Amino acid sequence: MPQTALLPLPDFPHKPGDRRQWGCLQGSGLALTLASLAERHKGAVMVITADTQAATRLEEELGFFLGDRLPLLHFADWETLPYDPFSPHQDIVSARLRTLARLPGMTQGLLVVPVTTLAHRIAPRGYLAGRSLSLKKGQRIDIADFRRQLEAAGYSAVDTVYEHGEFAVRGSLIDLFPMGTDAPLRIELFDDEVETLRRFDAESQRTIETIDAVELLPAKEFPLDKAAIRQFKDAWADAFSGDPKRSPVYQDVSNGLAASGIEYYLPLFFDKTGTLFDYLPADTLVLIDSGAGQQVGHFWQEIRNRHEDRHHDSTRPLLPPERLFLRDNELFESLNRFPRIEWHNGPVEERVGSINLPLQSLPSLPVDIRQEQPLAALQNFLREHPQTRLLFCAETAGRRESLLEL
């Protein structure tokens, strides 16, 4: 496999609990280092950023350095605030479920996750395996039974399929937008046999590709079948006092509906919740931003404030924060199960286990079009560093042409 590794890397940890500190990981040097490391480490690499914006930016930079040589997964944030009364978009849920399904079997590759997203308690690892549906060409299905299976998995019946988690039945045709996929699926039946499986464009209705089999993930991060509803109602009675019928959330779930904001009642659907750590392969190497610990502290302060502001509403009682999120000590205790590198943007004190990488910010190289040599600063830099390779980035095609003329 061709490698990105343009950077000499120090020795990295391999044993659970073994820790290192790497300094001077600034700018896109961080992404280059991570790409080089991922290609050398024979296992998964989880990268924990301090916030969602940093995770998004880092994922884009890693895509540039890695291309399609290694899997690059991102565990997306719900993009809701703690205890919000509305649910994340289905596309976000789809991306999260796809990552959870792929992660346990990833033998080499990168996972990027913000530390606040990592702190959420999620469905246990066995949930996806137990709720997924397999469908293949030539398989015999009963439409009524298949429809009930889809509804139990959280899919919604609609007239026309446009979004993840929707399905439509029209005679011998079943349109379905499976979670974790980029396009909806059209199932054509001949009597009760699956004749064709075709991915299609939701807008044009044109076929994209024909496939032989597909694995259908559940439409939600929690179950909604009869057993799960019974579990939810019993857990609600244990967690909250008062008449449950006064709560719209309880009433919706009792009727098999996913209430808005139901994600913040997720623990009530399971005997025991899980964490993202449960999905990681055993040989995972963890890299964490040195500012992540402080960010967890801020996040917990926000959680407590929002719980205090909202827990007085008896029609929408709230679970205590500890049931929904990992405390900072729980999070770092879980991290100790894996070898770990803490990265710093600036230099670290060099001692055993700590090292500064040979990276530095590019000096200021202004373009002065009023001078006879507008690029004099750049020319001087190249003379002083003849082995340096430069990448020029322009915001627009017009700006690129201006730079080329110079």
Side-chain angles (χ1 to χ4, degrees), residues 288 292-293 296 327-336 340:
I288 183 169
V296 172
R327 290 181 178 274
D328 53 356
N329 63 316
E330 292 177 306
L331 191 149
F332 283 94
E333 183 179 335
S334 296
L335 282 173
N336 288 336
R340 179 162 100 240

Side-chain angles (χ1 to χ4, degrees), residues 51 84 105 112 128 136 148 153 156 174 180 202 277 294 301 312 323 387 393 398:
D51 54 52
D84 265 349
V112 180
L128 287 184
K136 59 184 179 180
R148 283 191 289 270
S156 302
I174 303 173
F277 294 103
Q294 184 178 10
Q301 187 60 50
H312 304 291
R323 293 198 63 181
Q387 302 301 318
C393 300

Side-chain angles (χ1 to χ4, degrees), residues 290-302:
S290 59
Q294 184 178 10
Q295 190 63 31
V296 172
H298 294 325
F299 182 56
W300 261 95
Q301 187 60 50
E302 179 187 22

Side-chain angles (χ1 to χ4, degrees), residues 75 77-78 80-82 96 115-123 263-264 274-276 299 303 324-326 331:
F75 192 58
D77 190 82
W78 276 337
T80 62
L81 295 175
R96 286 167 60 94
V115 69
T116 51
T117 306
L118 182 63
H120 283 67
R121 299 187 188 276
I122 59 177
E263 286 72 21
Y264 290 102
T275 68
L276 189 61
F299 182 56
I303 294 168
L324 293 166
F325 306 97
L326 293 172
L331 191 149

